[in-house]
Amino acid sequence: MPSTGKRERTQPPSSAVTDDQHFPIIGIGASAGGLEALEQFLGGVPINSGMAFVVVQHLDPNRHGMLPELLQRVTTMVVKQAGNRMRVKPNCVYVIPPNKDLSILHDTLYLLDPVAARGLRLPINSFLSSLADDRRERAIGIVLSGMGSDGTQGLLAISEHGGLSLVQDPATAKFDAMPRSAIDARLADIVAPPGDMARLILDRLRHPPPLLENETLLAPESEAKNSAFEKICILLRAQTGHDFSLYKKSTIYRRIERRMGVHRHGGIADYVAFLQTNPQEVDLLFKELLIGVTSFFRDPAAWAYLQEEVLPKMIRAKTHDNMLRAWVAGCSSGEEAYTLAMIFREAMDHAKPANRIELQIFATDLDPDAIAKARQGCYPSSIAADVSPERLERFFVEDNGRFRICQEIRQMVVFAPHNVTMDPPFTRLDILTCRNLMIYLGADLQKRLLPLFHYSLKPGGTLFLGSAESIGNFAELFSPLEAKARIYRREEAKQRAIDVDFPTRHSDNSPNPTLITPPTMPPANLQTLADQLLLQKFSPAAVLTNADGDVLFINGRTGKYLEPAAGKANWNIHAMAREGLRQELMLALPKALRTAEAVVVKNMTIEDSGETQCLDLTVFPIEEPAPLRGMAMIVFADVVAAKPEPKRSSRKQLADARVAELEQALHKAREEVQRIREEMQSSHEELKSANEELQSTNEELQSTNEELTTSKEEMQSLNEELQTVNAELQSKVDEWSATSNDMKNLLNSTDIATVFLDNMLHVRRFTSQATQIFKFIQSDIGRPLADIVHKLDYLELQNDARNVLRTLAFCEKQITSNDGCWYTVRIMPYRTLENVIDGVVITFIDISEAKRLEAELRAARSGGEGHPATGNSS
């Protein structure tokens, strides 16, 4: 056979993977349209490849599976249905049975009863995740044609363990949803047609990536290697905005090696050139560098100490307000943040404080995809291994075979993309958890982060690190509460000032006019527009500000009114205003912007170098031109102070005047505060009402969406099962068609008239030769044989057929026809493959020639021997 010849040509040498006691086990997931892809894949596997294959196909749970028989036709390997506790052997194919989940432990298959309802099962994810745990970096997973997204989470588990993930090219798949889901999740190491996958896997197994030799990580790095590494970091930063240059090089190198191995580059310089011409590979490398391994209640003893010792003290110490703040840095898909929220709720239930204390958790991660998953708060049923049944019952809601975080816990956590090394930190924190993040960072970066964490925490705040992390040389900043659990208390630095290196991120986006930072120079046309406006309406000294008071443009000499504040440069007018102006500006600027009317404050007094200056202050909100809309022009106009009267006032009169002035200012301030309070209360009520409406609408939409998702998944699963059944039935139809053709040609070649009757002696089938005896036409099928005209002199035909049905003994007679022909008529029972009698078969063998020869022979004998012969004959 040609296929056999092809396999012989590609057969690996005997020293290939078969010598390794850890032979490759390849998990293959397929659904609708998967039969054709599986046949193409197995057809491309060489003889004695040394690999084992486990096929997980979406099957109808109520039908006997025919997949092993169908796959056996295209491969010389043994194809069998997987059984419980079945040991996996090389050069074998194992197929999941219907209505079972499949798992693997120490190269042994185990069958499990499905937990999820029909239509919601994800058997491919389950097996590939089990394979990843069992085989770790040697795990190999393949996702072929199918609908839905089953298999994506399984490939994620394989990638996290450093295994190899292959996905069918969507262009070659009958149904591309499953392959596209894995590709969109950036989990595919290799995308190829099914027929090429076996060759690619063998190439990878026989030729491990030369990438960076062992001495790369051990010997001093060469200038060329350092240069290549830095170029990769530059490419990553240019495309993703994240700088990996200060991460541990050993970690980065391992991930680069993996991507180089996928593309079979011989050196890191070749890979750099490949990155420069393939932006998509830069994104894939970035995803490869994001290590998202996490779980609920990781290191349970440490979380128990935090719950039993740390949180109760924080709750009892909280007297002046009712809010605690926490930051979970590097939260990945959210398990750690939700763990903190759960143990806080349990600590609150145990402490029962007089005032209800709330915990606001800020959870951040570099990976936006992980943040999106964390926001959904939906996790697979496998979390039951890490979360107790009591916590599952209280804090989760079962949703289509998965567990969703309840609303009470979800509202405690705010998720946001954030780079802890480049973005400004959260501050005024009571708890900061940064677990298993710093182990991937270089020493310099760790030294920058720990002072930053010290700055972010309140005095006495708690720092929670991973089991393999420590505070290093910063013992004066943190003291251990529980050294084994890596939980520390923030201390005040007494010996030296702490140099905190604040992260900054520069944005390339065009600034919003209302959010322009003071050091940023305004556009050139901004000055032109401001100059024109000043010439039209004002001539005194003036400044242009945004709604927050940030100074954007200065006209004239404003030194008498504004003075840069001491310390870090601050170009906000509220910080720069001299004494006497600041309070009025804080009231006038928001009022002018709110009412869209100019606000004038007259006869103000300020002091400059011991001299008193009177002025009028005007805040003019700008609506036109459009580029200046939302800003305000603040104008300072000097006025001449009124000359004092010659008559000297008494000390009491001066005091009364001062008191009256202060009372007037106080009254004015109270009115302004009251107005602001009323506006805030009104806005708060409106926002609260709108929030309640939106929340109600959101719940309705969420409920509808969940119902639609459930229906979609059930229909999708049923459709996949029907696709699989249809493929199997089509294969059977082809076999039956071939068998029917063989039988037809066999019957025609015998030249024997044959009629098939059912138990009621109705015509079931007849051969073409039978039409010479019976007046059959095609529409006679199903009619009683007694209704059909024939030329036989055989009145007992019906009775003989009934006797055969009754006695199951065949009947044979020689019958003549009205045209002088002779036939041997044989009637036999019709037996099915199940040995059930389902009618009779009647054959008519033409013996006319034999009868004619017999008559001639008898006549010849009679004529030659005369009377004695006749007598002897008698």
Side-chain angles (χ1 to χ4, degrees), residues 35 39 59-60 63-67 70 73 721-738:
L35 179 59
E39 290 176 343
L59 301 171
D60 185 346
R63 294 185 72 255
H64 172 70
M66 297 185 292
L67 192 57
L70 298 176
R73 301 178 308 174
E721 294 172 4
L722 289 174
Q723 288 284 345
T724 302
V725 171
N726 182 62
E728 294 176 350
L729 292 178
Q730 182 61 46
S731 177
K732 286 294 183 183
V733 166
D734 294 340
E735 291 181 4
W736 291 335
S737 177

Side-chain angles (χ1 to χ4, degrees), residues 628-672:
L628 300 182
R629 184 172 298 142
M631 303 182 191
M633 190 70 73
I634 301 175
V635 182
F636 308 98
D638 292 342
V639 296
V640 179
K643 294 183 179 180
E645 297 180 2
K647 182 179 179 181
R648 175 175 292 181
S649 300
S650 66
R651 180 176 299 178
K652 185 176 184 304
Q653 289 175 331
L654 291 174
D656 291 343
R658 180 58 178 166
V659 168
E661 179 183 354
L662 292 175
E663 286 179 347
Q664 182 180 3
L666 180 61
H667 178 71
K668 183 177 180 181
R670 285 175 175 170
E671 288 181 347
E672 186 69 18

Side-chain angles (χ1 to χ4, degrees), residues 275-345:
L275 284 173
Q276 290 175 309
T277 57
N278 292 272
Q280 184 181 6
E281 178 62 20
V282 178
D283 289 333
L284 291 174
L285 177 60
F286 171 66
K287 298 296 292 185
E288 189 78 27
L289 295 174
L290 301 178
I291 303 168
V293 180
T294 184
S295 63
F296 286 97
F297 296 95
R298 195 176 185 182
D299 301 325
W303 286 105
Y305 182 86
L306 191 69
Q307 177 181 353
E308 297 168 5
E309 301 295 335
V310 178
L311 290 178
K313 294 179 181 178
M314 284 188 178
I315 294 171
R316 288 194 296 269
K318 205 67 176 172
T319 57
H320 58 284
D321 61 57
N322 63 346
M323 181 62 72
L324 292 169
R325 289 165 55 90
W327 177 21
V328 179
C331 69
S332 188
S333 49
E335 287 91 334
E336 195 168 283
Y338 290 131
T339 298
L340 179 59
M342 285 187 278
I343 66 170
F344 176 79
R345 280 290 175 228

Side-chain angles (χ1 to χ4, degrees), residues 142-155:
I142 299 176
V143 169
L144 300 177
S145 172
M147 294 185 291
S149 61
D150 195 8
T152 299
Q153 290 298 318
L155 291 187

Side-chain angles (χ1 to χ4, degrees), residues 785-810:
L785 184 63
D787 293 349
I788 309 299
V789 177
H790 59 82
K791 62 180 184 179
L792 298 174
D793 185 12
Y794 191 8
L795 299 177
E796 297 83 11
L797 177 60
Q798 302 291 324
N799 293 331
D800 289 347
R802 291 189 180 92
N803 288 333
V804 169
L805 278 175
R806 186 178 66 256
T807 64
L808 303 183
F810 76 91

Side-chain angles (χ1 to χ4, degrees), residues 519-582:
T520 304
M521 292 299 294
N525 64 339
L526 192 64
Q527 181 174 354
T528 303
L529 295 172
D531 286 341
Q532 293 174 355
L533 188 63
L534 286 169
L535 291 174
Q536 293 172 4
K537 296 186 177 292
F538 308 104
S539 56
V543 295
L544 180 69
T545 72
N546 62 14
D548 295 327
D550 297 328
V551 177
L552 307 177
F553 177 71
I554 299 176
N555 180 78
R557 302 176 66 86
T558 59
K560 291 190 295 182
Y561 320 108
L562 305 176
E563 179 182 23
K568 187 177 180 180
N570 188 346
W571 284 70
N572 190 282
I573 195 167
H574 300 302
M576 297 174 64
R578 292 185 180 274
E579 192 64 34
L581 274 177
R582 188 171 300 146

